[in-house]
Amino acid sequence: MSVASRAIDAGNRIAGQSVPAASGRTFESRNPAHASEVIGVFPRSDATDVDRAVRAARDAFPAWRATPWPQRAAIILRAAEVLEANKEDLARLMTREMGKVLTEARGDVQEAIDMGKFIAGEGRRAFGETVPSELRDKWAMTMRQPFGVVGCITPWNFPIAIPSWKVFPAVMAGNTVVLKPAEDTPLCALRFAEALEEAGLPPGVLNVVFGYGEDAGAAVVEHRDVAAVYFTGSVETGRIVSETCGRLLKKCSLELGGKNAIVVLADADVELAVDGALWGAFGTAGQRCTASSRLIVEQPVLHDFTERLLERTAALRLGDGLDAGVDVGPVINETQLRRIDSYTDVGRGEGATLALGGAVARDGALAEGWFYTPTVFTDVTPAMRIAQEEIFGPTTVVMPVRSLDDALAAANSTQYGLSLSVYTNDLRTAFRAINELHSGIVYVNAPTIGAEIQLPFGGTRNTGNGHREAGGHALDEFSEWKSIYVDYSGRLQRAQIDTE
Ligand code: UN1
């Protein structure tokens, strides 16, 4: 695979071919650190292009489904190896297209490599069950079967890792895929698809359609030959996806927002908690659904924690993620920049103290991109909008609490339930928090970011609709069970009746 640094002019990937949008329309992907730099030009697809891709996926399905699991697994393993061989180039491309600093971009590619290797193991595992029948001379078994053509709609913040969480298990289970990646990171998605092609994935098994949610994404969700939809994005869009899938009786797996909290208790190691808060709140410029966007701190350590947090936040270096020594990169685009800035006004308006940051960064080269200064609000109470709504940027809030009970109640007080964390040195407190924090992921003495692919990823309440990605049960989302009864008695045996 080639990772060139000049702007590319790409087509959709349909049945292994590069195909422009039928309408001829295009859109650009830009470098958020230098907004005038065009990374590539991509087709702005609509329902016609999606239909093409779905047909290609449908045509490829019978042969792919018939390919033995271990052979499908071998291709996925090779794809992980192709990603590994190109890790540095892909990471650099990711930093240019999406903005996250290079070390984090490497981590993103690594997460996809891990996922590929992990899922490839399922090729010789994908166990079903053999269960005793209630009747004589009869066997009962289960096996997994694919859905058929599935649609995957992925966000820009983990532009290779998140496609890998969906595409690898989908194709492992024998489905064929139409992937609609975020319009901000099309080139990363294209390179991911090319890694699978290079590994020997047959044409049509993975098709990539570029474009915007309202035309390309919606067409994937609505297409009658797309049997299941996997979506990561906002609650607002997730609701629409879910309603559409509900009407069409499709399986629908949603990973939506987060308003994750780190709880710092009075007995915590404060410096460790500050390390965690900095990484959790400002890593990826806060653009993770797992970002530590709330810091809930018990009164006795509030002053110490806040002082150290502000001092270290003020020292973070903002800049192009390709430059050594940069801690925080740009945010993804101008719309997000404005949105993040508007939350600073919201916070001020509702009486929180803006302790640091709170402005679009315009110094020197920063003016060329979409940079926001790392922002900390203090004196924040649970009912404030900045304590409830997902900002998805480098803004975090410090919320004082008076007890463990108050801390746990505050942590659980949003519509989201993705990732919650507690810093304490007390074993009993830690276990109580593990039990009472209502989220899909709980950390003890670590921040809310940094999930590993061998554990399930997903959240409670409005973070999703009860599904999990990755982990030991990853295939559950991408396959359905078939129950098989084999009666070798040679006579009619009636279940529930001939059981004497
Ligand atoms: C996301 O923000 O959508 O746990 C995914 C983490 C990463 C994945 C984040 N491994 O922070």
Side-chain angles (χ1 to χ4, degrees), residues 18-52:
S18 178
V19 186
S23 68
R25 292 203 299 168
T26 58
F27 68 96
E28 289 172 348
S29 165
R30 283 171 185 266
N31 180 343
H34 306 281
S36 59
E37 185 193 337
V38 177
I39 305 287
V41 181
F42 292 82
R44 183 160 178 185
S45 310
D46 59 24
T48 308
D49 309 296
V50 168
D51 185 55
R52 254 188 179 159

Side-chain angles (χ1 to χ4, degrees), residues 240-321:
I240 298 168
V241 171
S242 178
E243 279 170 6
T244 309
C245 289
R247 181 163 45 78
L248 299 173
L249 301 180
K250 293 183 186 193
K251 181 190 168 83
C252 168
S253 159
L254 305 173
E255 286 299 340
L256 309 175
K259 189 72 182 176
N260 317 286
I262 291 180
V263 171
V264 184
L265 294 172
D267 72 321
D269 176 338
V270 173
E271 191 62 20
L272 184 67
V274 173
D275 286 343
L278 277 178
W279 173 228
F282 303 119
T284 327
Q287 303 169 109
R288 296 195 189 208
C289 11
T290 51
S292 308
S293 49
R294 294 180 298 150
L295 309 171
I296 298 171
V297 188
E298 234 185 332
Q299 280 290 354
V301 286
L302 180 65
H303 181 73
D304 188 17
F305 176 86
T306 309
E307 291 276 285
R308 296 195 211 193
L309 177 76
L310 293 176
E311 191 187 320
R312 294 196 38 205
T313 304
L316 292 174
R317 246 192 79 198
L318 206 54
D320 182 335

Side-chain angles (χ1 to χ4, degrees), residues 402-434:
R402 298 203 169 273
S403 66
L404 173 61
D405 284 343
D406 287 355
L408 297 179
N412 288 335
S413 72
T414 74
Q415 64 165 319
Y416 300 109
L418 182 53
S419 184
L420 295 170
S421 131
V422 63
Y423 278 77
T424 177
N425 284 311
D426 185 294
L427 191 65
R428 286 192 300 176
T429 306
F431 274 89
R432 209 189 127 191
I434 290 169

Side-chain angles (χ1 to χ4, degrees), residues 282 309-310 313 353-358 374-378 394-398:
F282 303 119
L309 177 76
L310 293 176
T313 304
T353 307
L354 177 62
L356 202 70
T375 300
V376 180
F377 275 101
T378 54
T395 301
T396 194
V397 303
V398 179

Side-chain angles (χ1 to χ4, degrees), residues 105-335:
R106 291 186 187 118
D108 189 313
V109 181
Q110 187 59 46
E111 201 160 334
I113 297 166
D114 295 343
M115 187 67 185
K117 290 183 179 175
F118 181 71
I119 287 297
E122 296 298 332
R124 292 187 186 271
R125 215 157 31 211
F127 302 126
E129 297 161 307
T130 309
V131 187
S133 165
E134 64 190 37
L135 297 164
R136 290 165 200 273
D137 300 329
K138 190 174 177 187
W139 273 5
M141 306 177 273
T142 63
M143 64 182 281
R144 293 182 184 277
Q145 57 186 338
F147 287 101
V149 179
V150 303
C152 300
I153 302 175
T154 54
W156 46 263
N157 67 332
F158 277 79
I160 293 189
I162 293 183
S164 86
W165 295 359
K166 298 189 196 301
V167 171
F168 282 148
V171 298
M172 180 68 269
N175 301 287
T176 54
V177 177
V178 175
L179 168 66
K180 204 300 278 178
E183 61 271 20
D184 289 292
T185 50
L187 190 50
C188 286
L190 179 61
R191 295 304 181 228
F192 172 71
E194 285 170 352
L196 278 139
E197 285 179 15
E198 194 174 324
L201 193 76
V205 174
L206 170 61
N207 306 278
V208 189
V209 177
F210 299 106
Y212 288 71
E214 58 267 29
D215 26 49
V220 171
V221 177
E222 280 160 18
H223 199 292
R224 66 187 175 90
D225 290 333
V226 171
V229 175
Y230 303 86
F231 171 80
T232 299
S234 70
V235 167
E236 297 73 41
T237 310
R239 223 180 273 286
I240 298 168
V241 171
S242 178
E243 279 170 6
T244 309
C245 289
R247 181 163 45 78
L248 299 173
L249 301 180
K250 293 183 186 193
K251 181 190 168 83
C252 168
S253 159
L254 305 173
E255 286 299 340
L256 309 175
K259 189 72 182 176
N260 317 286
I262 291 180
V263 171
V264 184
L265 294 172
D267 72 321
D269 176 338
V270 173
E271 191 62 20
L272 184 67
V274 173
D275 286 343
L278 277 178
W279 173 228
F282 303 119
T284 327
Q287 303 169 109
R288 296 195 189 208
C289 11
T290 51
S292 308
S293 49
R294 294 180 298 150
L295 309 171
I296 298 171
V297 188
E298 234 185 332
Q299 280 290 354
V301 286
L302 180 65
H303 181 73
D304 188 17
F305 176 86
T306 309
E307 291 276 285
R308 296 195 211 193
L309 177 76
L310 293 176
E311 191 187 320
R312 294 196 38 205
T313 304
L316 292 174
R317 246 192 79 198
L318 206 54
D320 182 335
L322 286 178
D323 293 344
V326 164
D327 301 300
V328 182
V331 301
I332 190 70
N333 57 37
E334 187 157 7
T335 310

